Amino acid sequence: MEVGSGDVNSKLFINLLLSHKAEESLTQALDTQFYDVIEKFEPHKSNDLGQNEPREPAQAVELGSKGEHVADREAAKTTADVFQVKVKLPHQPYEIPIMVSTQEQVQDLRQSIVEQPAAFQYSCFHLEHRGQKINDYSDLSDVKDLAAWSELRLIEDPYTEKEARMHVVRVRELIGAAGNRVDTLHGISAGVSLHENVLPWCGAEQPNSGKQNPAASKTLEGVNALADFQPQGPPSLQTLMPPAQELLPKTIKALTVSPWNPPPPAFRQRGHLIYLQVTTNEGEQYQITSHVSGFFVNKSSNIRFDPMPRPSPKDAMAHSLFVLIQNLSPSFESSFNKLLEANNKRDPLGNFQLTSAIPSYPWLVPAVSSGGATHQPDMTRTQETYLLAGVENTETLRDWNEEIQTTRELPRETVQDRVFRERMTAKIMAEFNEAAARGAVLVARGEVAALNPTESKDAQIFVYNNIFYSFGADGVGTFTSEGGDEAARVAVGKDVMGVKAVNQLDVAGLATPGTIIVDYLGKRLVAQSIVPGIFKQREPDEPQVDYGGVEGRDVVAENDVFVPTFSQVSKALKVKKHPVWDKEGNRHVLEASVETKGLLGTDGRKYILDLYRLTPLDVSWLDEYWTDNEVHGSKPKECNYPHRMAVLRPELVEAYWRLKMGEYVKEEVEKRKMSREQESNIGKGDLVHSTQGNGQGSSLVNGVSDMNNKEPESHKEQDRIDISAFSWSLNPDVFCGQQPRTEQEKEEWTIDEQDVRTVADYLHQKVIPDLLNDLEEGEVGFPMDGQSLSRLLHKRGINIRYIGKIASLAQSDNRRLQALRALAIQEMIARAFKHVAHRHLKKLPMPMTDACIAHLLNCLLGTGVNKSPVADVDENLKFLYNEGDLSFANTTPDSLRSDIEEQVQIRYRYTLTSWLPDIKHIQLLREVALKIGLQLVAKDYKFSLNSVATLDQPTHLANGNLIHSASSSHPVNGVSGKKKKRNAGNSSPTSMNGCNTTDATTTFIPNDVANIVPIIKDACSKSILAEEALEAGRISMVQNQKELGQELLLESLSLHEQIYGILHPEVARVYHQLAMLYHNLDEKDTAVELAHKAVVISERTLGVDSNETILSYLNLSLFEHANGNTSVALACMKHALELWKIIFGSNHPDCITTFNNAAVMLQHLKFFHESRLWFELSIAMSEDTCGKDSVNTATLAFQLAQALALDQDHKGAVRRMRDAYSTFLNKFGAEHQNTKEAESWLEQLTQNAVSIAKHAKDVQARRIRRVLFTPRVTLGTQPQAPVGQSSATGPSNGNARTNSDLDSRSIDELMRYIEGGEASKKTPTKKRKNPRNRRS
């Protein structure tokens, strides 16, 4: 491995993609193999089942700065691989065309057929080509003589019971007979999207088609979307509520399994499979028999059983249930067409079912009585288990471990193999996670019998659905010396992280069990696929595991079989090969931590288990905050950190490894440089001596031979350094009680300990200060909520336990650090409350959890309404569960406050003082709900006698909420301050769902807790192939290889879609990155479409109010504005700002950029006064955050001066331009371009102000003396920087703005703009079609 020029990594991947002749057509092959999921969604008309209209082949991807088609270079190959065939049907219309690819399987073709409207009725059939039956599991390339316009014949097959059940399920979904689903795992409204709320779906017409969206129609009438938005106003919880869904047209009244089902043996022998009951819209009821030959109406009634066919003329039979219902109900066809039309009006991307990702759950949901939470009757809802799994319910039982390991053992030699393997791995892991989480919920509720019911509750183990469950608690005393239950809880969480890390390495020959953890009702459960042989009873002298520590560290096993695979893992994770000693003092050399175990399964596979100690202990933290039982230090035991499982994060180890590698490379470069200088000096001396000796040497130029002017071939690779000799790793078992025996071992162990201490010091002395500095200077995006803050810390290698230290270091006059401190304190309070709530919920009966949660929330957030809330405990339940732990009822606000302060002090080493008045109620409520899994009824929660839940009125600036003079000195959005006070009572949204809490004695009641959902943490790894393509594309773009970079990035998008499916967080992030790329390349239509998809997928997988969703909306507004849809952009921006207020509050430090963008957009729509107000808000925040003398504030003052001129405030314009000029002069000097621009503008604005004062009539007539002035720079909107990352165009709010931020318009152009003219005419750029579109 070598490090040198920046294109090494990209070349490695490019070679992987393009070097093999068999893979030359990779791009077209991947685009066509799974094109049913990777292409544009808009032409796909979705019905209830998510079925689509006819597919067409993938359009050639457009690449290159001049719009040339990459596919033109491979036209011949594409033509040969993608073609159209004719499918002959047994019924009307008798023939349909289908576009196919030789890279597809026959199963893909079958799916394409049944998605056609003309073929909805078919589900049980096979295909024939030239009279030969085609195997459904073969590739189309294996079908002999299959070519363009070949005829395939669809032949209806006889049904089996399973085929009949699947056909009934499909027809129920297809015709809308299935009622609403009750998701017992993911909660109410899981995977909801608000995108249609903000920008209603337009059917086939795309939001980026250049036409104004209906959501922005008001803007066209002169009312902008931000007109009623109050930047300093209260947040509106209504923003999170989806609109009430209109009921879809009903095609039939009911389709259920008949009470006569299942068929008796005598009739089953005659081919009867299922008995059904259908009630049509006309009120007619039919008893239907599912026969091997199809479906027919029988003679049965509700009281008489006769499943034989009706005689003529009342007989009715068809191979498809769909056709039979169509023949029985005269109104079915028209109502079914109306159903299809209604489905076509909905955004397919917002309604597809999530299959490969955990859907997000909203923390606020409609009340049960509201229109948004209607519960419809459906008798078959309880029968679906039978329809899906059969009478014996055996079809759902799967050998999860065998499926997972078999999938990972699939071939990986070619790119096609890797794509298929990773796609199948993602699919099976998603299915395992779903099944495991459902089982964990049942275990937590006590609905699964334990395998060892006589053991203590924490020690019980369970098996359900072939998945092994145990509690994340120290039931058998394994972690007694490490912290007991707290240590066990942390260990299982670290284990899942370790499994995920090993899965990401994808080491051949090493297996990991499927693993997730589920936090539910205060309990942490571990779910794992059952490893063959893990329960096997071994011989007395045979250890239970084959490698690593067996019983803690007392017995250690070694097995050379595990060394090769374990060494690969250790090398990648920077784990040092090291010795350990058992209780007998015997020395064992292990590749991994002694806690990591290897097990030879009875299936012959090598399994790696217990991966919670991949990195060393954080010794600096433990030295300060932990005292062992046997050591009596100065710290009392009760003040200890809760556990001794405090380890360093892998990101920190990786960062330090890169630092050491950089030092190594630098040293090697210096050595090589010195060596070359010595060789050069020696060469010069030899050359002079040779020339003087024979007089026939080469001529010298400056003492160097002509032939030496050309660098030797041996020096061409001089910039590349071989790092294979570099080695750095850490011993994970230091400070864990190991006792070296010999002096040499002790010396080596001391060195290992010092290495770990050095990394810990690096965290304290470098990583944490750098993070604070970056956030203070505005070099990176500022976190919005606890989740984004936690992710930022983890990305930098900082454990959450250091959040208290960050809060202490953030005590500063800097507004950004004050906001960081307030956010850190809020996160600590929320996490402390979570631990307190878990303690009460753990042993509480489930029917009483809502009372517990409501009481704890009242003690935390409702003391402004009731200072002494009393728990609302149902006396009947209290009597019924007389052994339940009802200690929560004794909790008071004071005791809860003490518990929270204690938890914060112990866990984060931070002392909370006078924190209750400073909390932001809505934001803290959201954080608590997301951490515990609460779904609360959406209503106006009352937190004080004079305010409701939507108010956001913290009393101190430390909470990050800044008070700006601009809001009071000028009317906001056309409403004066006095008028705002008069209307203050109407500023809050009306009570949602008709819920009125004005008479409530407490803020929360038990009925407000609508649901509690499990918090799931999985071990799914990212796609290595897709990530390689993405990274190679980024590198190519950085190197200005735009065409290659675009091709690789699009390839990465295709790979992400194929492997994960469309609805996945990783796909959303790629969409977001590609949208930004195309925006920068001026591919506006493409950027907008990708950004819309990124928004929908982010909402459904990350949350409607997640920080990534907000960033997606903000950048979507930027792209829509650039594409000419400014009204749509303002609608997106308003929604993002409303969400921002809900999750953070007013005046987030990064709002400066957003407010500035809003002002520019309003100015574009000629709302000059409103634009001025938003500029004033932006500059007021900048003055408070960055300082009045900062370059950032000066740049905003420059823009505000122009806005004031447009708003006819010429004195204010002169004043602001003078401020900008003074700052530029002090910062950059008189010769800097910014200074010159500001000076020229100041001179002209001053002259115009004087002229206007003298010529009032001219001012009224808007005839101002024109002054020609043409600066060289432009003004525009800026992308919002992602959390923890710098913006693509530079810092979002820092003091390092360049002159490119200033406006290029002269006063002459500004005034023409006011009068309705165009300031400048831009040459229209050639627009290219979307690279994901299909060929028309």
Side-chain angles (χ1 to χ4, degrees):
M1 180 177 180
E2 294 186 343
V3 173
S5 57
D7 62 344
V8 173
N9 291 333
S10 61
K11 287 182 178 178
L12 288 176
F13 183 76
I14 296 165
N15 291 335
L16 171 66
L17 290 179
L18 306 177
S19 61
H20 301 292
K21 192 170 183 179
E23 300 160 12
E24 289 178 348
S25 59
L26 170 68
T27 301
Q28 63 87 23
L30 294 181
D31 280 341
T32 56
Q33 183 177 6
F34 308 110
Y35 60 85
D36 56 320
V37 295
I38 67 173
E39 297 300 333
K40 279 191 62 180
F41 304 102
E42 290 74 13
H44 292 216
K45 306 304 181 185
S46 171
N47 52 45
D48 271 358
L49 193 58
Q51 305 299 330
N52 301 324
E53 287 197 357
R55 298 183 310 165
E56 297 180 0
Q59 181 174 336
V61 176
E62 297 182 78
L63 297 171
S65 58
K66 297 183 180 180
E68 63 270 17
H69 296 273
V70 169
D72 291 344
R73 299 194 296 267
E74 301 191 12
K77 288 179 285 185
T78 303
T79 303
D81 291 338
V82 181
F83 51 85
Q84 200 168 53
V85 297
K86 293 185 293 184
V87 179
K88 295 289 186 179
L89 305 176
H91 307 289
Q92 287 185 347
Y94 301 112
E95 181 181 303
I96 57 174
I98 296 289
M99 190 66 66
V100 300
S101 165
T102 55
Q103 303 295 330
E104 289 184 317
Q105 292 184 332
V106 177
Q107 285 282 8
D108 299 320
L109 175 58
R110 286 177 58 94
Q111 185 65 27
S112 301
I113 293 173
V114 300
E115 288 176 356
Q116 304 290 329
F120 279 159
Q121 57 183 309
Y122 305 107
S123 68
C124 183
F125 62 89
H126 72 269
L127 297 172
E128 292 184 357
H129 178 55
R130 297 184 177 180
Q132 298 294 321
K133 183 178 179 179
I134 302 175
N135 190 323
D136 290 341
Y137 299 97
S138 62
D139 294 331
L140 286 177
S141 58
D142 297 333
V143 180
K144 187 177 180 181
D145 299 329
L146 184 65
W149 300 110
S150 294
E151 287 190 1
L152 299 177
R153 188 169 297 278
L154 186 149
I155 306 298
E156 295 175 329
D157 286 336
Y159 287 95
T160 63
E161 184 193 342
K162 180 179 179 180
E163 290 280 4
R165 287 188 282 104
M166 293 302 102
H167 183 79
V168 172
V169 171
R170 169 176 162 76
V171 170
R172 271 174 46 82
E173 296 284 354
L174 186 64
I175 66 178
N180 64 304
R181 295 292 172 84
V182 179
D183 194 332
T184 57
L185 175 64
H186 301 302
I188 306 168
S189 301
V192 70
S193 171
L194 303 179
H195 183 261
E196 289 187 69
N197 230 9
V198 182
L199 302 171
W201 176 249
C202 305
E205 180 182 318
Q206 294 309 305
N208 65 322
S209 59
K211 301 179 181 179
Q212 291 290 353
N213 191 284
S217 58
K218 290 185 178 181
T219 306
L220 301 180
E221 300 171 3
V223 180
N224 72 81
L226 294 174
D228 58 346
F229 178 77
Q230 299 181 13
Q232 306 300 326
S236 172
L237 298 184
Q238 188 66 42
T239 307
L240 300 178
M241 289 298 98
Q245 293 289 337
E246 297 181 3
L247 294 179
L248 296 172
K250 293 193 68 72
T251 56
I252 60 174
K253 288 186 177 180
L255 170 58
T256 64
V257 178
S258 171
W260 300 111
N261 196 68
F267 288 99
R268 181 174 293 277
Q269 192 70 19
R270 302 179 191 178
H272 291 203
L273 304 174
I274 312 175
Y275 297 139
L276 304 171
Q277 183 173 294
V278 173
T279 304
T280 65
N281 283 343
E282 292 78 14
E284 297 290 334
Q285 186 180 89
Y286 297 92
Q287 298 285 340
I288 295 176
T289 297
S290 172
H291 190 261
V292 292
S293 61
F295 296 81
F296 59 81
V297 179
N298 63 38
K299 300 178 185 177
S300 297
S301 66
N302 289 333
I303 58 175
R304 186 173 65 89
F305 177 65
D306 186 356
M308 301 308 293
R310 281 187 181 182
S312 179
K314 295 184 177 181
D315 61 329
M317 181 176 180
H319 187 269
S320 171
L321 180 60
F322 180 86
V323 176
L324 180 62
I325 296 174
Q326 192 174 20
N327 295 336
L328 295 176
S329 175
S331 64
F332 175 80
E333 186 172 358
S334 61
S335 59
F336 181 67
N337 290 332
K338 291 179 181 178
L339 175 65
L340 292 181
E341 292 176 3
N343 284 324
N344 290 342
K345 295 178 181 178
R346 302 163 67 186
D347 183 357
L349 193 59
N351 293 279
F352 284 154
Q353 184 178 359
L354 280 82
T355 58
S356 59
I358 300 173
S360 64
Y361 68 92
W363 63 279
L364 285 178
V365 295
V368 177
S369 59
S370 69
T374 55
H375 190 47
Q376 304 168 7
D378 181 13
M379 291 182 61
T380 317
R381 188 186 291 118
T382 57
Q383 302 169 346
E384 283 186 344
T385 302
Y386 156 71
L387 289 173
L388 294 173
V391 177
E392 304 298 332
N393 195 27
T394 58
E395 296 176 15
T396 57
L397 293 179
R398 303 165 62 176
D399 189 341
W400 292 107
N401 189 76
E402 184 62 27
E403 289 189 40
I404 292 172
Q405 308 310 333
T406 302
T407 303
R408 289 176 178 162
E409 292 168 356
L410 289 172
R412 61 176 88 182
E413 283 74 23
T414 67
V415 175
Q416 291 288 354
D417 289 341
R418 293 179 64 184
V419 171
F420 180 75
R421 176 178 175 272
E422 292 188 2
R423 181 189 183 194
M424 294 304 298
T425 300
K427 178 178 180 294
I428 187 64
M429 291 306 299
E431 293 171 352
F432 170 78
N433 294 342
E434 177 94 2
R438 292 188 183 279
V441 169
L442 295 177
V443 171
R445 290 178 177 176
E447 299 180 18
V448 179
L451 297 180
N452 53 341
T454 59
E455 301 286 343
S456 65
K457 187 70 175 178
D458 289 342
Q460 291 179 355
I461 57 176
F462 309 81
V463 172
Y464 181 80
N465 195 13
N466 282 341
I467 300 174
F468 174 74
Y469 296 93
S470 60
F471 289 104
D474 191 22
V476 295
T478 304
F479 296 95
T480 301
S481 62
E482 307 288 333
D485 288 346
E486 286 281 358
R489 183 183 182 92
V490 172
V492 295
K494 298 296 183 184
D495 183 42
V496 170
M497 290 177 54
V499 173
K500 187 172 186 176
V502 173
N503 288 343
Q504 189 66 46
L505 297 177
D506 199 15
V507 177
L510 188 63
T512 58
T515 308
I516 68 167
I517 58 174
V518 177
D519 291 330
Y520 185 61
L521 299 179
K523 307 174 184 70
R524 170 162 288 189
L525 291 107
V526 187
Q528 292 180 307
S529 61
I530 300 176
V531 176
I534 196 169
F535 295 126
K536 177 183 176 182
Q537 292 295 327
R538 302 197 180 191
E539 298 297 329
D541 58 341
E542 186 180 5
Q544 286 298 110
V545 297
D546 300 288
Y547 192 81
V550 180
E551 300 173 1
R553 295 180 290 270
D554 293 341
V555 179
V556 179
E558 290 185 81
N559 192 324
D560 293 339
V561 174
F562 288 90
V563 172
T565 52
F566 271 48
S567 62
Q568 295 182 54
V569 173
S570 297
K571 182 177 180 181
L573 298 178
K574 318 301 182 290
V575 176
K576 185 176 184 178
K577 183 177 181 179
H578 61 280
V580 295
W581 297 265
D582 58 23
K583 63 179 180 181
E584 304 296 335
N586 298 321
R587 186 176 187 268
H588 306 270
V589 178
L590 299 180
E591 295 286 346
S593 168
V594 69
E595 306 290 352
T596 303
K597 300 171 178 59
L599 177 70
L600 278 174
T602 55
D603 57 357
R605 298 185 177 99
K606 298 187 288 290
Y607 291 88
I608 183 170
L609 307 172
D610 292 351
L611 295 165
Y612 54 83
R613 186 68 65 76
L614 293 179
T615 55
L617 294 176
D618 186 354
V619 62
S620 62
W621 180 272
L622 294 176
D623 283 348
E624 189 171 358
Y625 303 120
W626 176 266
T627 302
D628 292 324
N629 289 328
E630 62 274 12
V631 178
H632 301 284
S634 58
K635 302 186 296 292
K637 184 67 179 175
E638 58 272 12
C639 295
N640 265 0
Y641 191 62
H643 56 83
R644 200 176 182 275
M645 298 298 297
V647 297
L648 300 173
R649 287 198 63 84
E651 297 89 344
L652 176 67
V653 176
E654 180 70 21
Y656 194 78
W657 178 85
R658 291 183 178 275
L659 175 68
K660 299 298 290 184
M661 186 187 69
E663 294 175 354
Y664 171 81
V665 171
K666 186 176 180 180
E667 291 175 1
E668 291 297 314
V669 169
E670 291 296 329
K671 290 179 182 178
R672 186 169 296 184
K673 183 178 179 181
M674 294 177 61
S675 176
R676 280 164 33 201
E677 290 177 353
Q678 292 175 359
E679 292 176 0
S680 176
N681 293 333
I682 294 173
K684 292 179 184 178
D686 291 344
L687 185 60
V688 172
H689 177 74
S690 174
T691 304
Q692 293 174 347
N694 56 26
Q696 297 177 356
S698 301
S699 62
L700 295 177
V701 179
N702 296 327
V704 181
S705 170
D706 284 340
M707 62 183 182
N708 284 342
N709 286 338
K710 184 177 180 180
E711 188 176 13
E713 291 293 329
S714 60
H715 288 173
K716 286 187 176 180
E717 302 295 323
Q718 61 185 0
D719 292 333
R720 298 192 177 186
I721 303 298
D722 182 7
I723 64 170
S724 59
F726 171 73
S727 176
W728 180 89
S729 54
L730 293 176
N731 183 346
D733 287 327
V734 294
F735 305 108
C736 293
Q738 292 291 333
Q739 299 294 329
R741 297 301 191 266
T742 67
E743 291 300 323
Q744 182 180 358
E745 291 172 349
K746 292 179 180 179
E747 184 178 345
E748 292 177 357
W749 203 259
T750 303
I751 295 174
D752 291 345
E753 290 180 341
Q754 184 56 45
D755 288 343
V756 173
R757 289 190 181 276
T758 302
V759 176
D761 293 340
Y762 176 72
L763 170 65
H764 288 268
Q765 299 171 8
K766 179 66 176 175
V767 177
I768 294 178
D770 283 355
L771 173 64
L772 290 170
N773 182 69
D774 289 345
L775 291 174
E776 180 180 7
E777 297 298 327
E779 296 295 335
V780 297
F782 198 89
M784 301 181 186
D785 60 353
Q787 186 182 45
S788 57
L789 175 61
S790 301
R791 189 182 298 115
L792 173 60
L793 296 181
H794 288 164
K795 188 175 181 180
R796 296 289 185 104
I798 305 172
N799 304 84
I800 290 297
R801 59 179 172 270
Y802 286 103
I803 194 171
K805 179 174 183 178
I806 289 175
S808 299
L809 294 176
Q811 291 182 352
S812 169
D813 293 335
N814 183 277
R815 294 302 187 189
R816 294 178 67 86
L817 291 184
Q818 287 183 3
L820 175 65
R821 178 173 176 270
L823 188 58
I825 292 175
Q826 177 179 282
E827 179 69 3
M828 288 188 285
I829 294 172
R831 287 176 176 268
F833 180 87
K834 177 190 71 173
H835 289 290
V836 174
H838 282 173
R839 186 181 65 204
H840 290 295
L841 291 172
K842 187 175 182 179
K843 298 181 180 179
L844 191 67
M846 183 180 174
M848 307 182 77
T849 54
D850 54 354
C852 174
I853 292 296
H855 180 62
L856 293 178
L857 289 177
N858 282 325
C859 292
L860 176 67
L861 300 172
T863 54
V865 175
N866 188 334
K867 294 184 178 180
S868 302
V870 178
D872 184 5
V873 181
D874 190 317
E875 291 299 326
N876 292 329
L877 291 177
K878 186 176 181 179
F879 175 78
L880 187 62
Y881 295 101
N882 53 10
E883 295 182 357
D885 182 6
L886 303 183
S887 59
F888 75 89
N890 300 324
T891 302
T892 65
D894 290 338
S895 67
L896 179 62
R897 184 181 69 251
S898 299
D899 287 344
I900 290 176
E901 291 174 354
E902 179 184 0
Q903 290 291 327
V904 170
Q905 175 62 39
I906 292 177
R907 294 180 184 276
Y908 311 113
R909 301 296 154 171
Y910 185 83
T911 302
L912 291 174
T913 56
S914 303
W915 54 276
L916 278 175
D918 295 339
I919 61 175
K920 296 184 283 187
H921 295 89
I922 287 294
Q923 289 74 30
L924 183 57
L925 177 62
R926 174 182 177 272
E927 294 290 350
V928 166
L930 293 178
K931 286 174 172 55
I932 300 179
L934 303 180
Q935 289 191 295
L936 304 174
V937 172
K939 67 179 187 181
D940 293 336
Y941 291 105
K942 198 172 183 181
F943 297 111
S944 68
L945 296 177
N946 300 320
S947 63
V948 292
T950 52
L951 293 183
D952 178 34
Q953 299 173 343
T955 58
H956 293 278
L957 292 177
N959 285 332
N961 291 286
L962 314 176
I963 301 174
H964 300 307
S965 59
S967 300
S968 58
S969 61
H970 296 284
V972 177
N973 296 324
V975 182
S976 66
K978 293 182 179 179
K979 187 174 181 180
K980 283 172 63 180
K981 290 182 180 179
R982 290 197 300 268
N983 295 337
N986 299 325
S987 62
S988 300
T990 57
S991 181
M992 284 174 277
N993 307 319
C995 298
N996 188 355
T997 61
T998 55
D999 298 330
T1001 58
T1002 58
T1003 303
F1004 301 93
I1005 59 176
N1007 288 343
D1008 291 336
V1009 183
N1011 189 31
I1012 301 179
V1013 299
I1015 307 298
I1016 303 170
K1017 299 178 182 179
D1018 60 52
C1020 296
S1021 58
K1022 294 183 180 181
S1023 165
I1024 299 175
L1025 185 61
E1027 290 297 319
E1028 286 174 351
L1030 183 61
E1031 183 63 24
R1034 289 171 177 165
I1035 294 173
S1036 297
M1037 296 301 296
V1038 170
Q1039 296 172 348
N1040 204 29
Q1041 301 175 9
K1042 293 185 178 180
E1043 182 175 346
L1044 177 61
Q1046 284 181 272
E1047 188 171 359
L1048 288 169
L1049 289 172
L1050 287 173
E1051 198 66 62
S1052 172
L1053 173 60
S1054 176
L1055 291 169
H1056 275 86
E1057 290 172 332
Q1058 293 172 44
I1059 292 168
Y1060 296 118
I1062 297 296
L1063 297 173
H1064 195 278
E1066 294 300 323
V1067 177
R1069 294 178 181 116
V1070 175
Y1071 274 139
H1072 183 82
Q1073 294 179 36
L1074 280 179
M1076 185 67 69
L1077 167 69
Y1078 279 106
H1079 171 72
N1080 293 334
L1081 295 177
D1082 206 28
E1083 295 281 350
K1084 299 177 181 178
D1085 288 344
T1086 305
V1088 167
E1089 184 176 351
L1090 293 174
H1092 275 284
K1093 292 179 180 179
V1095 163
V1096 177
I1097 300 173
S1098 295
E1099 285 183 322
R1100 301 197 63 195
T1101 60
L1102 299 171
V1104 293
D1105 58 348
S1106 73
N1107 66 293
E1108 292 188 52
T1109 299
I1110 293 175
L1111 288 174
S1112 295
Y1113 266 112
L1114 290 173
N1115 285 330
L1116 173 60
S1117 70
L1118 178 71
F1119 304 153
E1120 286 282 13
H1121 169 65
N1123 203 28
N1125 298 330
T1126 304
S1127 54
V1128 178
L1130 289 175
C1132 295
M1133 181 171 288
K1134 178 185 177 182
H1135 183 70
L1137 289 172
E1138 290 284 6
L1139 294 177
W1140 216 336
K1141 286 199 295 185
I1142 291 174
I1143 75 170
F1144 180 85
S1146 301
N1147 303 318
H1148 186 276
D1150 285 353
C1151 277
I1152 300 174
T1153 300
T1154 305
F1155 288 175
N1156 186 76
N1157 289 347
V1160 173
M1161 294 177 188
L1162 289 168
Q1163 197 175 93
H1164 178 79
L1165 293 177
K1166 301 185 180 180
F1167 290 104
F1168 300 125
H1169 182 68
E1170 290 80 359
S1171 172
R1172 160 194 179 164
L1173 297 177
W1174 283 89
F1175 272 128
E1176 288 174 342
L1177 283 173
S1178 179
I1179 196 171
M1181 285 194 63
S1182 180
E1183 289 176 350
D1184 211 355
T1185 303
C1186 305
K1188 293 185 178 181
D1189 297 331
S1190 67
V1191 176
N1192 187 69
T1193 303
T1195 305
L1196 294 173
F1198 186 98
Q1199 299 175 13
L1200 176 58
Q1202 297 175 340
L1204 292 172
L1206 290 171
D1207 198 30
Q1208 304 299 313
D1209 186 354
H1210 301 283
K1211 291 183 178 179
V1214 172
R1215 179 173 57 85
R1216 286 296 185 179
M1217 190 59 70
R1218 184 179 293 111
D1219 294 340
Y1221 170 72
S1222 299
T1223 301
F1224 289 147
L1225 182 62
N1226 293 332
K1227 296 288 184 179
F1228 300 137
E1231 299 302 319
H1232 194 273
Q1233 184 174 344
N1234 279 16
T1235 309
K1236 293 180 179 179
E1237 300 284 0
E1239 183 180 15
S1240 299
W1241 270 95
L1242 178 60
E1243 179 183 350
Q1244 304 306 326
L1245 285 173
T1246 304
Q1247 293 178 4
N1248 285 326
V1250 173
S1251 177
I1252 290 170
K1254 294 180 179 179
H1255 304 283
K1257 294 182 180 179
D1258 288 342
V1259 172
Q1260 294 175 2
R1262 293 190 176 183
R1263 292 193 298 271
I1264 302 176
R1265 178 168 58 89
R1266 309 303 172 92
V1267 180
L1268 296 178
F1269 180 67
T1270 310
R1272 298 177 297 280
V1273 287
T1274 59
L1275 168 71
T1277 55
Q1278 296 184 15
Q1280 195 73 38
V1283 174
Q1285 301 178 29
S1286 59
S1287 172
T1289 58
S1292 58
N1293 297 314
N1295 297 334
R1297 287 183 178 268
T1298 65
N1299 57 3
S1300 61
D1301 293 316
L1302 303 184
D1303 199 337
S1304 64
R1305 295 173 296 180
S1306 65
I1307 298 177
D1308 181 68
E1309 291 172 319
L1310 287 177
M1311 300 318 301
R1312 285 207 306 269
Y1313 190 71
I1314 295 174
E1315 295 165 0
E1318 292 297 332
S1320 61
K1321 299 291 184 180
K1322 294 185 177 180
T1323 303
T1325 58
K1326 182 179 178 181
K1327 293 184 178 180
R1328 300 171 215 150
K1329 297 180 181 178
N1330 192 298
R1332 311 303 302 167
N1333 284 349
R1334 298 179 179 276
R1335 180 179 289 124
S1336 58

